Amino acid sequence: MELQGHTAFKYVTGRQLNSSSGRGWTNVLAERWDHEAGALPSLLPRETEVAVLLSGRGLVYREGAGLRQRTSGRSGTVWLCPAGIREERIDFELPLHDCLHIFLPPD
Protein backbone atom coordinates (compact mmCIF):
# COMPACT_ATOMS: atom_id res chain seq x y z
CA MET A 1 0.00 0.00 0.00
CA GLU A 2 1.54 3.32 -1.07
CA LEU A 3 0.59 6.13 1.33
CA GLN A 4 -0.74 9.41 -0.04
CA GLY A 5 -0.10 11.78 2.87
CA HIS A 6 -2.09 14.98 3.31
CA THR A 7 0.54 17.68 3.02
CA ALA A 8 -0.86 19.19 -0.20
CA PHE A 9 -4.11 19.94 1.67
CA LYS A 10 -2.54 20.87 5.00
CA TYR A 11 0.64 22.83 4.24
CA VAL A 12 -0.83 25.58 2.09
CA THR A 13 1.82 28.09 3.21
CA GLY A 14 4.73 25.75 2.46
CA ARG A 15 6.88 24.50 -0.36
CA GLN A 16 7.71 20.82 -0.81
CA LEU A 17 11.46 20.20 -1.23
CA ASN A 18 11.48 16.43 -1.80
CA SER A 19 9.28 13.34 -1.54
CA SER A 20 9.59 9.56 -1.49
CA SER A 21 6.35 9.32 -3.50
CA GLY A 22 6.75 7.21 -6.61
CA ARG A 23 9.76 5.32 -5.27
CA GLY A 24 7.74 2.21 -4.50
CA TRP A 25 8.05 2.46 -0.73
CA THR A 26 5.28 0.69 1.16
CA ASN A 27 3.77 1.68 4.50
CA VAL A 28 5.83 4.88 4.75
CA LEU A 29 5.91 8.23 2.93
CA ALA A 30 8.57 10.85 3.64
CA GLU A 31 8.52 14.49 2.52
CA ARG A 32 10.77 17.49 3.22
CA TRP A 33 9.11 20.91 3.41
CA ASP A 34 9.88 24.57 4.02
CA HIS A 35 7.01 26.28 5.86
CA GLU A 36 6.35 29.99 5.90
CA ALA A 37 4.54 31.67 8.81
CA GLY A 38 0.74 31.46 8.61
CA ALA A 39 -2.40 29.53 9.53
CA LEU A 40 -3.18 26.06 8.20
CA PRO A 41 -6.65 24.64 7.53
CA SER A 42 -8.41 22.30 9.94
CA LEU A 43 -7.79 18.67 8.97
CA LEU A 44 -8.77 15.15 10.01
CA PRO A 45 -5.65 13.12 9.13
CA ARG A 46 -6.19 9.64 7.68
CA GLU A 47 -2.54 8.68 8.36
CA THR A 48 -0.30 9.25 11.35
CA GLU A 49 2.23 12.02 10.74
CA VAL A 50 5.56 12.47 12.48
CA ALA A 51 7.21 15.83 11.78
CA VAL A 52 10.86 16.52 12.61
CA LEU A 53 12.48 19.95 12.34
CA LEU A 54 15.83 19.22 10.72
CA SER A 55 17.40 22.66 11.09
CA GLY A 56 16.67 26.15 12.33
CA ARG A 57 14.03 27.35 14.77
CA GLY A 58 10.30 27.98 14.64
CA LEU A 59 7.22 28.61 16.75
CA VAL A 60 4.08 26.45 16.34
CA TYR A 61 0.65 26.81 17.97
CA ARG A 62 -1.67 23.77 17.70
CA GLU A 63 -5.18 22.90 18.90
CA GLY A 64 -6.88 19.54 18.62
CA ALA A 65 -8.73 16.93 20.69
CA GLY A 66 -9.26 19.51 23.43
CA LEU A 67 -5.53 20.20 23.79
CA ARG A 68 -3.62 23.42 23.13
CA GLN A 69 0.11 23.43 22.49
CA ARG A 70 2.65 26.15 21.80
CA THR A 71 6.04 24.74 20.84
CA SER A 72 9.25 26.61 20.32
CA GLY A 73 10.87 24.26 17.84
CA ARG A 74 14.55 23.84 17.18
CA SER A 75 16.59 21.31 15.26
CA GLY A 76 15.45 17.85 16.40
CA THR A 77 11.99 18.87 17.69
CA VAL A 78 9.38 16.18 16.90
CA TRP A 79 5.61 16.66 16.52
CA LEU A 80 3.12 13.77 16.36
CA CYS A 81 -0.23 14.06 14.57
CA PRO A 82 -2.18 10.79 15.12
CA ALA A 83 -4.53 9.49 12.44
CA GLY A 84 -8.18 10.24 13.21
CA ILE A 85 -7.52 13.14 15.62
CA ARG A 86 -8.81 16.41 14.11
CA GLU A 87 -6.34 19.26 14.05
CA GLU A 88 -8.56 22.28 14.68
CA ARG A 89 -5.88 24.92 14.38
CA ILE A 90 -2.21 25.08 13.45
CA ASP A 91 -0.32 28.34 13.14
CA PHE A 92 3.31 28.71 12.24
CA GLU A 93 4.09 31.90 14.14
CA LEU A 94 7.63 31.74 12.75
CA PRO A 95 8.73 29.89 9.62
CA LEU A 96 9.91 26.28 9.85
CA HIS A 97 12.58 25.59 7.29
CA ASP A 98 13.72 22.09 6.39
CA CYS A 99 11.10 19.96 8.13
CA LEU A 100 10.78 16.19 7.52
CA HIS A 101 7.25 14.74 7.50
CA ILE A 102 6.88 10.97 7.82
CA PHE A 103 3.47 9.37 7.19
CA LEU A 104 2.59 5.96 8.60
CA PRO A 105 -0.55 3.81 8.21
CA PRO A 106 -3.19 4.41 10.91
CA ASP A 107 -2.85 0.85 12.17
Side-chain angles (χ1 to χ4, degrees):
M1 169 178 93
E2 190 166 327
L3 300 179
Q4 300 300 309
H6 51 254
T7 52
F9 304 106
K10 181 177 180 180
Y11 297 120
V12 296
T13 64
R15 177 176 63 98
Q16 188 181 73
L17 303 173
N18 208 340
S19 175
S20 68
S21 181
R23 295 181 184 236
W25 295 8
T26 56
N27 294 321
V28 67
L29 170 68
E31 297 178 343
R32 282 182 58 209
W33 282 75
D34 269 351
H35 302 290
E36 295 302 323
L40 304 181
S42 177
L43 180 78
L44 180 64
R46 62 182 174 263
E47 298 159 355
T48 295
E49 177 183 1
V50 179
V52 182
L53 186 57
L54 298 178
S55 64
R57 296 185 171 275
L59 189 57
V60 178
Y61 181 83
R62 303 189 320 166
E63 287 183 23
L67 300 174
R68 294 181 182 157
Q69 301 173 326
R70 184 178 172 138
T71 307
S72 179
R74 62 179 197 267
S75 181
T77 298
V78 176
W79 290 273
L80 177 64
C81 305
I85 303 296
R86 179 166 293 282
E87 298 173 312
E88 298 296 334
R89 176 181 171 197
I90 298 179
D91 287 326
F92 295 139
E93 296 179 14
L94 296 172
L96 295 175
H97 296 293
D98 204 6
C99 195
L100 176 65
H101 299 268
I102 302 165
F103 296 92
L104 304 169
D107 57 351

